Each structure stands twice: as structure tokens, then as C-alpha cells.
Amino acid sequence: MAYDNIHVETNGRVGIVTLHRPKALNALNNALIAELNLALDKFEADAGIGCIVITGSERAFAAGADIKEMQPLAFPGTYTDDFISSWDRVARCRKPVVAAVAGYALGGGCELAMMCDILIAADNARFGQPEIQLGIMPGAGGSQRLTRAIGKAKAMEMCLTGRQLTAEEADRYGLVSRVVPLAELQAEAMKVADKIAGLSLPSVMLTKESVNRAFETTLAEGIRFERRLFQALFATADQKEGMAAFADKRSASFKNA
């Protein structure tokens, strides 16, 4: 399928989506989100894909939402149409998603990056939630995911003032998994994605589900949830193969079953 606002490709068992609105610094509009969601649906349905990478350009992962598209909107329509809820598709992916972020990740771009499971940043990346400067506030999870990632004090300052974080600050505050030189960003993101995609897909998906549950329940309930998933994996052929390979001192050959 031809896309107008993104580029889609596969590399082995990794599906790659590159946001591509260069004249708008990859600003997120309805058309781009619809194409991104369609690409994600296809990768999720493809048994040959074990991990997904989302990236942008060297100048911008995504510099925010498309303000020109949003400007004429009014409350009744945004509420009845449930505006921006479709942007949450990335967070609902069952397969792991790696964000490779260079340049600006602001507003919706920062929110999109935070929906991903592993966030690798180039050393020129900048993160921010500047919506307050437009008379609005984050609407795609920014005030919630940012607070969980870096704590109330820093998230409150960013959301109330629009202050941006450098890549080094984002790393120090725990917003990103790591920071790498810009020239190495794509290779590092692919290295991580390849590693994940080569593992047992059931165990990878259940592990992702378990980590995410830690933000949604108590510690005791989370531990019970983790334990049931752990026990369930002993019903898989991949558990038998993984442990047999370890005992035989060879590489495992997972069948995702």
C-alpha cells in the first residue's frame, strides 16, 4: 500500500515506520495518524513481525500536533467525536515498539514517543509538552505518562511552562532508555528491535503486558499477575526449546508457539 505521510518497510522480523511530513517537521495530523494506525494493524497481524520501530527525521521525530488542523475545532465536536483517542493506537500495540527519536519530540510527538515501550534518543533530541503556550494542555497522555516517567515535580514544570528537556536531561530523568550519537541512532534502534524480534514472541508479548500492568495496579496484584503469566509460559513449546538450548549450550530456535 502507498502511504502519503509515512514510509513503511520491513527488515527481517522488524517492522519500521518512518514519519514523513518533512515540510511540517512531521507534525501529527489526522491523515498521518490514520496511516500509522493502519501500518501498526498490519504489523500486529503479521506473524513474521516480532518488533516494531517508529522513527522520524534527524530534525524531528514529530514537532507536535498539526495546529492548523486543530485551530478551528470546538468542544462539542471534540467531545462527541472523541478527538485524539485514535492517537492511542501505539500504546495498544501488543508487540513491542521501539521509538528512535532525533530532533524535536514536542507535544503530540513527545506523547507518541512515550507510548512506545523502549525509547532510544539521539544526542540532539529535545522533549517537551508546550501545549500550555497555546491555551490548551496535553491531550494524548502527556500529563499522565510524563508524570509516571519523570515524577510530579519535573512533569508539572514541563506541562505548566513548556520547558523542553535535552537528550541528556531526558536520560538522567528516566524518560528515555539511552542516548546515542545521532549517526548511530537507527543502527542502535535496529539492534534492540532485532534482539527482541529474535526471541519467543509469546514470552515477549506477555513480558510487555506484565511490565505495563505495574503502572495500573498495586504491587501485590501486579506480582500475582506476573506469576500467572510466568506459569502460563511453561505451556509453550518455546519454553521447552529455550531451556533445552541452554542445557545443550546452543542457540535456541524459537517457533513462537
Side-chain angles (χ1 to χ4, degrees):
M1 173 181 173
Y3 296 96
D4 296 322
N5 300 281
I6 61 175
H7 291 159
V8 177
E9 59 184 308
T10 61
N11 187 330
R13 286 182 50 79
V14 178
I16 305 165
V17 179
T18 303
L19 309 182
H20 187 67
R21 294 189 69 209
K23 294 181 179 179
L25 292 179
N26 293 334
L28 306 175
N29 62 4
N30 287 332
L32 186 152
I33 294 297
E35 291 182 3
L36 172 61
N37 291 350
L38 179 59
L40 294 175
D41 287 343
K42 291 184 175 182
F43 283 147
E44 289 259 75
D46 186 347
I49 297 297
C51 190
I52 300 166
V53 172
I54 298 178
T55 189
S57 69
E58 291 188 356
R59 291 186 63 200
F61 176 74
D66 190 322
I67 303 305
K68 292 181 180 178
E69 187 176 74
M70 295 172 63
Q71 184 179 0
L73 301 179
F75 169 68
T78 59
Y79 180 74
T80 56
D81 296 341
D82 203 12
F83 173 59
I84 225 168
S85 64
S86 64
W87 294 34
D88 204 43
R89 175 65 181 89
V90 175
R92 298 196 308 273
C93 278
R94 299 180 69 204
K95 293 178 180 178
V97 182
V98 177
V101 178
Y104 296 111
L106 305 177
C110 185
E111 291 170 315
L112 180 64
M114 290 191 293
M115 292 178 199
C116 299
D117 302 302
I118 297 176
L119 206 169
I120 300 176
D123 51 16
N124 74 332
R126 294 187 70 87
F127 300 87
Q129 298 291 160
E131 292 90 344
I132 198 75
Q133 298 171 6
L134 302 175
I136 55 172
M137 62 176 285
S143 66
Q144 303 303 300
R145 292 190 176 94
L146 189 63
T147 303
R148 284 166 169 75
I150 68 175
K152 176 184 174 181
K154 293 180 176 65
M156 191 71 82
E157 181 185 12
M158 289 179 67
C159 290
L160 288 182
T161 70
R163 185 173 90 83
Q164 297 179 16
L165 297 183
T166 64
E168 188 277 330
E169 287 176 312
D171 187 28
R172 191 166 72 245
Y173 298 163
L175 180 60
V176 304
S177 303
R178 72 178 87 158
V179 175
V180 300
L182 175 59
E184 300 174 14
L185 176 64
Q186 300 303 326
E188 284 298 315
M190 280 302 303
K191 186 185 299 184
V192 172
D194 276 332
K195 173 66 175 179
I196 294 170
L199 300 172
S200 166
L201 186 58
S203 64
V204 163
M205 292 172 68
L206 288 173
T207 299
K208 169 177 174 170
E209 188 175 351
S210 186
V211 172
N212 283 334
R213 184 60 66 95
F215 291 95
E216 299 166 359
T217 189
T218 65
L219 175 61
E221 286 299 319
I223 288 174
R224 274 192 287 270
F225 181 79
E226 175 195 71
R227 191 157 298 146
R228 294 299 175 262
L229 298 186
F230 168 77
Q231 293 164 346
L233 283 168
F234 282 79
T236 67
D238 284 347
Q239 175 266 329
K240 305 297 185 293
E241 166 61 14
M243 292 191 175
F246 178 83
D248 296 341
K249 297 182 180 180
R250 59 176 174 83
S251 297
S253 179
F254 294 117
K255 304 301 183 185
N256 302 317

